[in-house]
Amino acid sequence: MSRFRLEPHPAPISPAEREALLEAPAFGTVFSDHMAQATWRAGGAGWHDHKVVPYGPISLSPAASVFHYAQEIFEGLKAYRWEDGSIHTFRPAANAERFTRSARRLAFPELPVDDFLDSLGALVGVDQAWVPSGPGTSLYLRPFMFAAEPFIGVRPSHLVSYLVIASPVGAYFKGGVAPVSIWVDQEHHRAGPGGTGAAKCGGNYAASLVSQELAYAHGCEQVLFLDAATSSRIEELGGMNVMVVMADGSVVTPPTSGTILEGVTRSSLLQLVRDRGLSVAERPIGLEELLSGLRSGAVAEVFACGTAAVVTPVGRLAGRDFDVSVGDGSPGALTMSLYEELTGIQYGRREDKHGWTHRLA
Ligand code: COI
């Protein structure tokens, strides 16, 4: 029995209209009929009013502190339709735990892990027809929490809203699983030591937008940030982690030392690489080391990874005074094989040795 009481949509989208929307979903433009929500109030009431309600606009005071001081965190995970029609998500407890860590960093009350999992089950349970079945498609779940108190003094909000919305999605990048170009921003930083880089808070993404615009202006799809302390080491992309495959097949990725997001896809891929007997090193990677490795052939592949991006090959790395292709610019063999393996597990086509999948409906 879910704690999230259902208030069904009185006029959900018709099956024909929904099917048309599910045909070839883009990323994040269409939303399902319902959303889950819960409220927290300071002073003992704790989390209450758990429900699943019709998806729609929410009413907030213009003074709600999220608008002024950006006290907000979010998560991203997906519900996958398996061939037998059942619906599963991937490592939701890992997202729930990260949500808890983000909540602590942004001075929010913690949402119990069970409530997080329950909210996903309740929403996907009622909106299961919204989980698309085309190749590479899924229902993207976006849990988030924000400061709803109408108060413009600077302190943690005494009124907090938790919501989960769901969006049928295809590939994050327009080209699908095709190589993307990356712009290395040597002017702006996303996160600094002791900052919020490891938290999944909207502010980190707001800080990445000007860099993302620069990337577009240079003909690139994504931006890569360097560490704030020395501007010499690669850290993370605007919305995903980055991995480097050396010519000997070993995989290197920057360590999660507080300034980069602890990606669930990142840690899953590192496990899959280890399972293959290949070596993994989580260590600082110098930009110069990466560029010279690309030029000499010591670096064979580079890829982006995240829930939304899954595994996306990087074909080119450009910056103020360099423009280097990754191999011959085509998708790397290990990159594509990891993509196949990970999505194979997520869609129930491959054995789930680590118990990562979690049935929702
Ligand atoms: C995700 O990968 O789920 C994210 O939250 C990143 C965002 C770029 C969509």
Side-chain angles (χ1 to χ4, degrees):
M1 218 14 215
S2 172
R3 282 191 82 179
F4 288 77
R5 193 172 27 84
L6 176 62
E7 291 176 13
H9 200 304
I13 289 179
S14 74
E17 215 179 319
R18 189 183 57 234
E19 287 314 313
L21 291 169
L22 296 186
E23 206 55 5
F27 188 89
T29 54
V30 165
F31 299 91
S32 71
D33 288 316
H34 294 87
M35 58 191 188
Q37 65 179 43
T39 303
W40 180 91
R41 244 176 232 287
W47 286 104
H48 58 278
D49 221 8
H50 303 69
K51 52 192 177 185
V52 172
V53 298
Y55 175 88
I58 50 177
S59 171
L60 281 176
S61 160
S65 48
V66 63
F67 296 134
H68 306 275
Y69 311 121
Q71 193 190 4
E72 190 269 356
I73 56 171
F74 68 97
E75 270 304 322
L77 60 173
K78 286 173 169 172
Y80 308 88
R81 187 177 292 283
W82 288 12
E83 214 157 281
D84 65 1
S86 60
I87 297 165
H88 302 249
T89 189
F90 186 74
R91 304 187 68 187
N95 292 85
E97 284 153 17
R98 188 174 63 188
F99 199 53
T100 300
R101 293 195 294 279
S102 299
R104 278 188 214 125
R105 181 62 184 86
L106 273 284
F108 271 126
E110 290 173 26
L111 181 80
V113 167
D114 283 349
D115 279 0
F116 183 96
L117 300 177
D118 190 7
S119 65
L120 306 180
L123 179 57
V124 173
V126 61
D127 278 349
Q128 48 186 281
W130 282 92
V131 183
S133 55
T137 64
S138 57
L139 185 67
Y140 185 82
L141 304 171
R142 170 53 61 87
F144 59 108
M145 189 186 281
F146 59 87
E149 184 185 358
F151 176 64
I152 55 169
V154 183
R155 61 146 168 76
S157 181
H158 289 173
L159 178 65
V160 176
S161 288
Y162 168 69
L163 272 95
V164 191
I165 56 174
S167 173
V169 298
Y172 184 72
F173 292 106
K174 276 199 207 92
V177 193
V180 291
S181 298
I182 300 292
W183 176 256
V184 181
D185 191 340
Q186 292 156 288
E187 278 175 65
H188 312 94
H189 295 289
R190 171 188 172 276
T196 58
K200 202 159 175 68
C201 62
N204 291 341
Y205 295 77
S208 78
L209 297 178
V210 68
S211 308
Q212 184 60 47
E213 288 294 295
L214 271 177
Y216 291 142
H218 287 93
C220 296
E221 285 91 348
Q222 260 291 318
V223 57
L224 174 61
F225 289 101
L226 301 176
D227 74 295
T230 69
S231 285
S232 67
R233 298 189 287 261
I234 66 165
E235 290 220 311
E236 132 170 59
L237 302 170
M240 48 215 72
N241 296 118
V242 63
M243 295 207 187
V244 175
V245 183
M246 308 305 289
D248 65 4
S250 62
V251 172
V252 190
T253 194
T256 53
S257 49
T259 53
I260 75 171
L261 192 77
E262 295 168 4
V264 177
T265 308
R266 174 188 181 280
S267 78
S268 308
L269 289 169
L270 294 182
Q271 183 63 52
L272 295 179
V273 171
R274 284 191 197 99
D275 291 351
R276 292 175 183 217
L278 296 172
S279 89
V280 165
E282 295 180 66
R283 63 154 176 89
I285 304 170
L287 175 62
E288 281 312 318
E289 175 195 349
L290 176 60
L291 294 177
S292 64
L294 286 169
R295 290 185 182 113
S296 71
V299 168
E301 305 175 27
V302 178
F303 63 87
C305 60
T307 298
V310 195
V311 173
T312 302
V314 172
R316 175 181 158 232
L317 213 65
R320 209 162 41 208
D321 46 12
F322 57 89
D323 195 335
V324 188
S325 82
V326 179
D328 63 3
S330 57
L334 185 64
T335 301
M336 294 318 287
S337 138
L338 287 171
Y339 171 83
E340 287 305 330
E341 185 174 3
L342 181 69
T343 53
I345 297 168
Q346 291 170 332
Y347 286 90
R349 296 187 299 259
R350 282 201 185 217
E351 190 194 347
D352 176 15
K353 288 194 203 108
H354 297 285
W356 285 337
T357 62
H358 172 99
R359 186 164 182 168
L360 289 174

